[in-house]
Amino acid sequence: YAPETLMQPLLDLEEAFRKALDDSSFQAELKSELRHFVGRPTPLTSAPRLAAKLGLRDLYLKREDLTHTGAHKINNALAQALLARRMGKTQIIAETGAGQHGVAAAAACARLGLRCTVYMGVVDMARQAPNVARMRLFGTEVVPVEAGQGTLKEAVNEALRAWAARCDKAHYILGSALGPHPFPTMVRTFQTVIGEEARAQVLEQAGALPDSVIACAGGGSNGLGLLVPFLGDALHRFAVEAGGHGPALGEHAARLDGGRMGVLHGCKTLLLQDEHGHTAETASISAGLDYPALGPELAALALDEKIEVLRASDDQALEAAKWLCESEGILPALESSHALALLPELAKRGFTTVLLGLSGRGDKDLSTYQSKLGI
Amino acid sequence: YAPETLMQPLLDLEEAFRKALDDSSFQAELKSELRHFVGRPTPLTSAPRLAAKLGLRDLYLKREDLTHTGAHKINNALAQALLARRMGKTQIIAETGAGQHGVAAAAACARLGLRCTVYMGVVDMARQAPNVARMRLFGTEVVPVEAGQGTLKEAVNEALRAWAARCDKAHYILGSALGPHPFPTMVRTFQTVIGEEARAQVLEQAGALPDSVIACAGGGSNGLGLLVPFLGDALHRFAVEAGGHGPALGEHAARLDGGRMGVLHGCKTLLLQDEHGHTAETASISAGLDYPALGPELAALALDEKIEVLRASDDQALEAAKWLCESEGILPALESSHALALLPELAKRGFTTVLLGLSGRGDKDLSTYQSKLGI
Amino acid sequence: MNKLLPFIMAGDPSLESLPRLLAEAKALGIEALEIGLPHSDPIADGPVLQAAAHRAIQRGATPLRVVETLAGLTESPDLILFTYLNPLLQIGAERLIGLLRLTPVKALLVVDLPDSEEPEFEARLRAAGYPIIPLLSPTTDLDRAKGLLERRPDPGGDHPFAQRFAYVVARLGVTGTGGAPDLAPVRERVAALQSISDRPLAVGFGLSDPQALAEVRAMGATPVIGSALVQALAAGVALETFLHTRLG
Amino acid sequence: MNKLLPFIMAGDPSLESLPRLLAEAKALGIEALEIGLPHSDPIADGPVLQAAAHRAIQRGATPLRVVETLAGLTESPDLILFTYLNPLLQIGAERLIGLLRLTPVKALLVVDLPDSEEPEFEARLRAAGYPIIPLLSPTTDLDRAKGLLERRPDPGGDHPFAQRFAYVVARLGVTGTGGAPDLAPVRERVAALQSISDRPLAVGFGLSDPQALAEVRAMGATPVIGSALVQALAAGVALETFLHTRLG
C-alpha cells in the first residue's frame, strides 16, 4: 500500500533485509553492536515487593529501560542503520513521536557516521523538548511538522514524503512495526531479541516459564518484540493499548475495539477512523501509544486470539508508575506503565507468575508525572 | 576526624562492612542485585570514530551510563543499602550534589523497602530539578539545605548532622570516597567493580591492556573505581579534576594543585581552603566535580605518583561532550566529559590505546548543554 | 492527445463552486481532469495540496458529499478521481460503483494502491468501467513498467483518454514542491515508455511554468498541472485566466 | 563546681564587643566560658550556631583576628576555645601555642578531633598547657568513655575547671535544635561517669530552660548554655539580663 515511487525502494529493502539475515557477517556485526554499544542482554529483574503488593507470586521485568538511549527502540534503529550502511545509503530519514525512536536513530547514525534527519510533530517537539535536544546533540537535523495534530501520524506522513524525494540516497528507518512491507516484518524481527532473551532468562532464573507475558503496544514493536518468541508456549500473552481518558473515538488509542480494518501509511490493519475513512484523532497521556493504527502483525495475532489485547487508561497508567517507583525503585516510561496497570487484573484472573516488558525509562515523562502526580 | 557522637556508629559500620565482605551470602546478594537490578556488567564500548578523530588508535569506554539510574553511583548506593538492611537499620540518610547519588540511594531504598531522606543544597535542587522529581517519585524525602553555596558541601554537612541525630536507627549512605573512615574505603571497595570488569573486558576485546586509563574525579568514587584495579599494571593512570573557568581559588575544583592538606567532613586530604582554614568556594560547570576536597585515597595515590591528576576546564568539557555525541552517539555526563576532554592531550603525549571511564549519562545535563552549546 | 491534464481539489475553494468550475473547464476545451478527493493523510502530496485537502475537509468535503456533488453533472470533462485507498475501501466496491455511475468519473488514480494489493476490489471496479490508472515513477524501471502497464491494461482506443493513460511521475518526491524538474531524464523515460507501449502518457509532479508544459507536449505526452492551479483557484484566479497563462 | 558554662560565638554580634562581654561575664561570677571559633563547615552545630558563625565570618572574625582580640585580656573568665580542627591545623601547633599564650584561653574543645587522629599535635598542645577537652556522647559506652578520659587525662585539682572537665553531650544530634532532651538517661549517664571518674562534668546540647539547667546542677554537673545565649546576644539582650533569667 505504498505509492509507486517507493515500491522499488521497498523491494530493494526487502531483498537487502533477507540477504542480511542470511549473512553471518551482518549478524555478527549486529550482535556485537547490540552487546557492546546498546548493552544487551538487558537484565531480567525480579520485582518481589511489587509482586507482593499486587497479589502475584512472581513478577519479572524485562529491562529495555537499561538499553543505550533508554528504550527498546535502539534495537531496531541500530539494526536498520547497519542495514542502510550495507546498502550503500549515506542518509537516514526517521520519524518520531515521543522522541525515543528519534533519539535511537540519531544515536545509531552518529555511531555509524550516517547523516540523519528526523521528522517530528510540532506538538511533540514542544512536549518532548529534551529528546529534541538529544537528537540535535547527536548531530541530527530535527524537522518540525506542523500539519494536523502535530504528532506521530503527521511525522510519519512527512517522513514518507521525504523518503519519496530522496529514496536514491536515503534509507527510511521506521520505528515501529507498521508501514509498508517489509517494515512490519523487519522491525518485528529486529525486536524479537527482547523476547528471546527474556524467555531464556526467565527459564534460567525461575526454572520455568511464567503463566503470562504482558507488554504495551503502540505500533507494536515492543509488544511483538516481547510476545512473539512466546507464541509457541502454553501461556497467556497480553498486549495493552492506551485507553486514554474515555471510550469515545478521539479519547483513546484502543484500536482493537475502537478500530476497523483500513489502510494507513502503507499497511492495512486495525485503524481508528471516522465514517469517511479519514484517520481519527487519538488521545493518550503516553506519546508512544497514541498512534491510530495497530501494527498489522499484532492486529493479526490479536484477531487470531494468539494475543489478548487489553487497555489501560491514563489514570491507571499514572497510578501504576507510582507503584513501580515506590516498590522497586524503577521509573517506568508512561508506555510501560500501561502494561503495569493491568497487573491487578491479571492477579484477579488467577495468573501468578508474570513476565512484563519494561519498554523504556520514564525520565522523558518526568514532567507529566510531576504535574499529574503532584510531586 | 568525626565528632564523638559518630565514632561508635562508624566503628560499628566498619565492623559490619568487614564482616559483610567476608560473608559469601552478602557477596552473592550484592552480585545478584548488581546483575539483575543494576544491569552489570556494563559494556565496554569501542569508540573507533572518536579515536580516529582525536588521533588515537583505540579508545574504549566503560559504560557506567548504562547502569540503572544512569551513573556509577548506584554500585555503591545499592551495596550500602544492602549493608544497612543487614545491620538492622530501617532508615537511610544521604547527601547529593548533582542528584545522581541521591537518585541512586532513593532507588536502592525503594527496592529494599528502606525509608530514605536525602539532603540537597537549594541551588542544586533548582538546577537539578528533574533528579529531585525522580527521588520524590521513589518515595524519598528531599530536604533542602539553604546554608552557604547551597551545593554538595553544605548537603554533606547537613547529612552528617542528621546522622548524628538518628544514628541509632539510620545508616548514612555517603556517595563518594570521602568522609570519615570507613567511608572512603567502603565506597572505593564497592566501586572497584567498574575497573575489575573493564580490565577483564579490555583484555577480552583488545587482547591486551591499554597504555592508559583515564577517569574524572570529584570525591573520587568513579576515579578510584576505575583506576584502582589497574594499579598493578604497567600503564599510565589519569584522574581529571574540574578546571572550572579560571586558575584562581574559587574559580575551579582542582584540588591537587590548588589545595593543601586539611580536614573536612571527617577526613584529612587535599582541600581547597583559604588562609584561615575555611573551606573555599569552588566552581565547575559539573555539579558532580565541584566538591572542595579530593577523596583521601585518591589524594594519597596522586601524591605517591601512582595516578596523575590533570584538569579540564568547563569549556574543554563542553567541547568534548560534543565530540562523543557526534562521533559515537553517546551523550556523556558533564563529569565524564572532563575525562574525554583530556584525550587529545594523551594522544599528544604518545598514548595510543586509552580506556576511559564514562561515569554517567548526560541527560541530567541537557539544559546546560543546550544553553552552552546553543542547541 | 490532450494539451493539459488539470488537477483540482474537490471542495477547495468550495464544493458549491465545483459544478461551475467543471462546466467552465469543459467549455475551455479540457477533455479530462483529475479531481482530488481530500484525505486526512495525503502522503504523496506536497504542502499546497495538503493545505487544500485540509481546507476542503474543514469545509465538509467528505468523500460521499464530493460524489454527491458530482452526481448528475453533464457539463464536465471526463474525471479521474485522484484519491488514497482507505476512503474507497470504507465505502466498498459495490457501493462505490453505484455512486460513481451517476458522475462524470471515468477512472481512478489511487496513490497508495499497488496493483497487487487489492486484486478483487480493483477487478470489480475495472469490470464496472472504472480502471485504475497506472503510475510510473523514476524508480520504476522499464521491466517493472511493462508489468504495471500489463496488469492495468489500456482498455483500448475506443475508450476516452481518462481511462487509457498512464501517469508518469516526473521526479522523486511529492506533488508540487521543489523547482521545476530536470526534464532531460523525463524525456528519456517517456521515450523508453513510448517504445514499449502506445498508451497515452501524462506527466506530472512539479510542472508549472508554460515552458515545462510545452516541453512535455513536445515529448508527445500530456502535462499535468496541479499545485499551481489549486493555489490559483484558492486565490480567486479564474480557471480561464490561469489556463491562458499556461497554454499561451 | 561551676553553676553554668556559657558558650558564645566569637565575632557575634561583633569582635569589638568581645572584650567587654568577657569582662562582664567575669564580673557576673562566670569562672569559665566556651568561646566558639567561627568555622565554614560547623558539622556538629544546629541552625543557631551555624547562623552565628556565618555572621561572624562575614564580619571578618577569622581565627587569627579572634585570637588577636583575646590577646592581653585580663578581665575574662577562663576560656575554652570551641573549634573545628582544620583552622588549628592550618595555623600549626607551635604558632598556635605562641598565640594562645597571650590570651585567657586555657583549653580547647575540638569537635572533630578524636583522640587518635593527631597525637603529635595534641601532645604538643597538652605539653604547652592546652589540654583538649574529652567529649562523651550518648553513643559512647562506659568502656569507651573510660579510655577517652584516660587518653585526655585530668591535669589535676590544681588546675582550673576549664582544663579539667569532660563534656557530656546530652543527646544525639547537633547543638541547639530540638526540644529539651529527656534528662532521665542523661542522669544515668552522668551517674555512671561519676562512678568511674571524679572529674568535673559539663552537660550540653539542647539545654536552655532554667529547670533543665537546675536539673543538671542537681546531678552534680555544670550545664552548658549555648544556642539560647548566642541568640539572645545577637538580639541585643544583655548578658546579665540573660543569665538572670536562667539562673534565677
Side-chain angles (χ1 to χ4, degrees), chain B residues 33-221:
Chain B
E33 284 293 292
L34 287 177
R35 180 172 166 213
H36 299 304
F37 177 66
V38 172
R40 305 210 69 90
T42 56
L44 186 74
T45 303
S46 173
R49 285 174 27 87
L50 183 57
K53 177 187 170 74
L54 301 178
L56 295 167
R57 204 182 64 213
D58 287 307
L59 172 62
Y60 293 94
L61 309 173
K62 178 58 174 167
R63 300 289 303 281
E64 295 302 296
D65 61 312
L66 291 181
T67 57
H68 179 56
T69 67
H72 74 290
K73 293 291 186 188
I74 188 74
N75 302 323
N76 167 58
L78 183 73
Q80 284 201 43
L82 286 169
L83 184 62
R85 192 172 67 175
R86 199 181 147 87
M87 291 172 73
K89 306 285 185 183
T90 55
Q91 302 180 13
I92 295 295
I93 288 162
E95 87 296 340
T96 199
Q100 289 304 116
H101 173 58
V103 169
C109 288
R111 172 83 175 157
L112 301 181
L114 300 166
R115 209 184 102 193
C116 183
T117 308
V118 170
Y119 293 84
M120 188 169 189
V122 285
V123 170
D124 283 337
M125 281 181 74
R127 63 183 175 178
Q128 309 283 347
N131 276 341
V132 176
R134 291 164 82 197
M135 286 184 263
R136 288 182 173 157
L137 279 167
F138 290 149
T140 281
E141 182 191 6
V142 182
V143 178
V145 180
E146 309 247 354
Q149 274 188 293
T151 61
L152 178 60
K153 175 178 70 95
E154 288 80 19
V156 176
N157 287 346
E158 204 57 32
L160 284 169
R161 291 177 189 126
W163 193 32
R166 294 196 274 136
C167 54
D168 46 345
K169 295 182 284 283
H171 170 64
Y172 175 27
I173 302 189
L174 223 163
S176 200
L178 47 88
H181 185 73
F183 282 111
T185 308
M186 189 163 68
V187 175
R188 184 254 299 150
T189 302
F190 289 142
Q191 290 291 7
T192 46
V193 66
I194 304 172
E196 283 159 11
E197 283 178 9
R199 194 173 180 283
Q201 287 167 322
V202 75
L203 282 171
E204 184 207 329
Q205 288 182 39
L209 289 175
D211 54 28
S212 49
V213 187
I214 187 166
C216 63
S221 69

Side-chain angles (χ1 to χ4, degrees), chain D:
Chain D
M1 194 198 66
N2 283 26
K3 289 174 84 172
L4 191 70
L5 180 56
F7 172 99
I8 62 173
M9 182 65 75
D12 184 67
S14 76
L15 270 186
E16 291 68 27
S17 62
L18 184 57
R20 199 180 58 235
L21 197 62
L22 294 175
E24 195 183 341
K26 186 173 184 192
L28 289 165
I30 298 295
E31 185 193 327
L33 182 144
E34 287 186 58
I35 184 157
L37 204 58
H39 188 52
S40 56
D41 294 280
I43 57 170
D45 288 308
V48 170
L49 297 192
Q50 288 175 44
H54 186 70
R55 286 193 300 267
I57 290 172
Q58 294 297 106
R59 290 176 191 146
T62 64
L64 290 182
R65 286 202 56 209
V66 169
V67 176
E68 279 166 20
T69 304
L70 297 177
L73 293 188
T74 51
E75 293 304 297
S76 167
D78 290 342
L79 299 182
I80 302 106
L81 195 64
F82 180 105
T83 178
Y84 292 84
L85 176 61
N86 198 46
L88 307 187
L89 279 184
Q90 301 308 316
I91 295 171
E94 283 317 299
R95 188 165 165 229
L96 180 62
I97 290 164
L99 289 166
L100 294 179
R101 287 268 179 254
L102 310 169
T103 72
V105 170
K106 292 283 176 281
L108 293 89
L109 198 161
V110 188
V111 176
D112 57 350
L113 181 58
D115 60 55
S116 55
E117 292 286 12
E118 294 286 342
E120 199 192 334
F121 179 84
E122 183 167 350
R124 286 167 76 178
L125 283 174
R126 188 186 304 118
Y130 297 101
I132 291 180
I133 300 301
L135 276 159
L136 307 167
S137 94
T139 55
T140 313
D141 67 23
L142 215 55
D143 270 357
R144 182 173 167 83
K146 219 176 279 181
L148 292 177
L149 293 174
E150 276 165 21
R151 289 190 298 277
R152 284 177 172 165
D154 183 350
D158 53 336
H159 285 261
F161 171 85
Q163 294 183 319
R164 295 188 58 202
F165 77 104
Y167 191 121
V168 177
V169 177
R171 55 157 171 67
L172 295 181
V174 292
T175 56
T177 54
D182 176 6
L183 289 178
V186 178
R187 189 172 298 114
E188 270 179 49
R189 281 201 291 132
V190 166
L193 291 167
Q194 285 167 336
S195 76
I196 60 164
S197 161
D198 46 13
R199 197 142 168 188
L201 300 177
V203 175
F205 276 47
L207 302 187
S208 105
D209 62 292
Q211 196 194 331
L213 304 183
E215 283 187 47
V216 169
R217 274 191 294 270
M219 300 173 200
T222 300
V224 181
I225 187 151
S227 294
L229 173 55
V230 166
Q231 205 157 23
L233 293 175
V237 177
L239 180 63
E240 180 172 10
T241 314
F242 179 83
L243 291 183
H244 199 74
T245 65
R246 288 315 193 272
L247 294 174

